[in-house]
Amino acid sequence: MNIYKIIAGISVICLLIAAVRFYQDGIASAGPFLIAFFITLAIAFRGFVLLKGFSYTIIIFAAVTTALYYPQYFIQVNGIKLAILITPLIQLIMFGMGTSMSIKDFAGVIKMPKGVFIGVFSHFLIMPTLGFTLAKLSGFPPEIAAGIILIGCSPNGMASNVISYLAKANLALSITITAVSTMLAPIFTPLLMKFLGGTFIQIDMFKMMWDIIKMVILPIGAGIVFNRYLLKRAKWLETVMPIVSMFGIAFIIVIITAAGRSSLLNIGFMLVLLVLIHNLMGYTLGYWAGRLFKMDERDCRTMAIEVGMQNGGLASGLAKEMGKIATVGLAPAVFGPLMNITGSLLANYWHRKPILKPGNKETAVIT
């Protein structure tokens, strides 16, 4: 029998034991078995082509569950708060992003100016507006509500490029929109947070600008230079950096989850629901923004993905720099894993759906 099927069976057994322990002794006793369930499920997924892409997200669930049950191990070690690692980890992840970029990624501004402008404009209009609206409706404490706005005001992340490729969207356009929105983040993210998030909490706009520059722009710039002149001598980085980035993001989410455990236990379900609505509405409105400007199907898919997917790592780093990792940082920590799930599902759906030529009565339209 396939080893992955055996591991899948073990994961089912772990889930059943967790359910029994929950029924008999309460949720606290189910913790170790829930963690084991997610870990074995993640391993099992690696053996199935259709599920392989979800393995990392399941690992995130395992990490989050561990942090919720055993937060004391992820807040501080030997008197040192682990939150101090968030900014260096973000810088390392952004450096890795830079090593996969080059000046050519910005060439799309000249080749596809309409698509780039619509994509960047839609991103910084739709997601912040949705975030502000959901924050107002949430009834959450101000700092937690501000986190919803913060994730909405953040630029795109590299995950959107992977999803665009899988969804048969316009990858070149996706890469350029991501690159441009990231470079514009030091201006637009603080301005939007000041204007929208400032109604909930105090925002130091200029400090946020500098935080973004040091966490994103400088590391990405260093990565681009490294890619241009040194990467050929260190090819191993092409393999290592994506793995480092994945573990870095997972560790950041664990730290935030542990720090904000009490808030998550009180409002966790509603926060997940609102963040999911934020993400799905981003896809939907992004797609129809492309349709509004008569873009073709591939570009409309790109608009949906580029609008709906955010740089959760940057938002988490900004929350840490604000000293509000346990409150403002919660929405970004939830958004990341959910975004990966919905993005993978959307990519799988679109990958199977043919892109028909304009004028065909059966032209695919996604709602």
Side-chain angles (χ1 to χ4, degrees):
M1 183 183 289
N2 188 313
I3 185 65
Y4 291 106
K5 291 182 180 179
I6 295 174
I7 296 173
I10 294 172
S11 71
V12 172
I13 293 172
C14 290
L15 181 60
L16 290 174
I17 294 174
V20 171
R21 294 297 296 270
F22 171 71
Y23 177 76
Q24 291 179 341
D25 304 313
I27 194 169
S29 64
F33 298 98
L34 277 177
I35 295 168
F37 162 70
F38 284 125
I39 293 174
T40 52
L41 187 65
I43 297 172
F45 274 14
R46 302 293 297 174
F48 301 89
V49 176
L50 292 177
L51 300 174
K52 189 175 181 180
F54 295 101
S55 182
Y56 173 67
T57 301
I58 300 301
I59 284 291
I60 295 292
F61 286 155
V64 168
T65 304
T66 304
L68 286 173
Y69 273 98
Y70 309 104
Q72 66 272 23
Y73 297 111
F74 304 101
I75 295 176
Q76 63 180 21
V77 175
N78 295 327
I80 301 174
K81 291 186 177 181
L82 295 181
I84 65 172
L85 298 175
I86 290 178
T87 298
L89 283 172
I90 296 297
Q91 291 171 324
L92 184 61
I93 292 167
M94 292 300 108
F95 173 79
M97 179 178 176
T99 60
S100 65
M101 296 173 65
S102 69
I103 301 301
K104 294 179 181 178
D105 292 335
F106 297 90
V109 177
I110 299 174
K111 297 178 181 179
M112 304 170 284
K114 175 185 174 182
V116 174
F117 176 80
I118 294 172
V120 174
F121 179 79
S122 298
H123 180 87
F124 282 118
L125 173 66
I126 292 171
M127 291 305 277
T129 303
L130 283 173
F132 178 76
T133 303
L134 291 171
K136 278 289 188 183
L137 294 174
S138 70
F140 290 159
E143 291 187 1
I144 295 177
I148 301 174
I149 300 174
L150 178 60
I151 189 64
C153 295
S154 299
N156 312 96
M158 285 293 285
S160 64
N161 303 153
V162 177
I163 298 301
S164 291
Y165 171 74
L166 295 175
K168 295 183 179 179
N170 188 335
L171 180 60
L173 179 59
S174 173
I175 291 172
T176 303
I177 292 174
T178 298
V180 172
S181 72
T182 300
M183 293 300 109
L184 291 176
I187 298 172
F188 284 103
T189 298
L191 281 174
L192 289 166
M193 273 304 291
K194 181 70 174 179
F195 180 66
L196 300 174
T199 60
F200 290 87
I201 59 173
Q202 186 175 355
I203 301 294
D204 187 336
M205 188 173 67
F206 294 106
K207 182 180 183 301
M208 186 174 286
M209 285 182 178
W210 169 242
D211 288 338
I212 296 174
I213 290 171
K214 74 179 182 182
M215 280 193 291
V216 178
I217 305 302
L218 294 180
I220 286 180
I224 291 174
V225 172
F226 190 92
N227 181 31
R228 176 69 176 83
Y229 297 105
L230 298 172
L231 191 56
K232 292 180 181 178
R233 302 176 188 176
K235 280 289 184 181
W236 55 272
L237 273 176
E238 292 183 358
T239 303
V240 171
M241 286 310 300
I243 297 173
V244 170
S245 296
M246 287 191 295
F247 277 100
I249 292 170
F251 193 60
I252 290 169
I253 291 173
V254 166
I255 294 173
I256 295 172
T257 301
R261 179 179 182 273
S262 59
S263 296
L264 277 174
L265 292 178
N266 288 329
I267 61 164
F269 175 77
M270 278 303 300
L271 182 61
V272 170
L273 179 62
L274 290 178
V275 165
L276 182 61
I277 292 171
H278 195 182
N279 177 226
L280 296 180
M281 287 295 292
Y283 293 142
T284 303
L285 295 178
Y287 180 88
W288 284 101
R291 300 283 293 179
L292 178 67
F293 288 98
K294 303 186 185 304
M295 301 176 79
D296 63 33
E297 175 65 17
R298 288 180 69 240
D299 289 352
C300 286
R301 293 182 182 187
T302 306
M303 292 298 111
I305 294 164
E306 289 300 312
V307 170
M309 302 190 78
Q310 307 292 93
N311 191 332
L314 171 61
S316 298
L318 291 175
K320 183 266 175 184
E321 292 297 320
M322 294 166 65
K324 303 180 186 297
I325 193 67
T327 51
V328 177
L330 289 180
V334 172
F335 194 99
L338 280 178
M339 174 187 76
N340 287 324
I341 294 172
T342 59
S344 297
L345 291 172
L346 184 61
N348 185 59
Y349 173 73
W350 270 333
H351 185 79
R352 297 165 178 267
K353 196 172 183 67
I355 299 176
L356 304 179
K357 295 181 180 180
N360 191 314
K361 293 181 180 179
E362 298 180 358
T363 298
V365 176
I366 309 300
T367 56

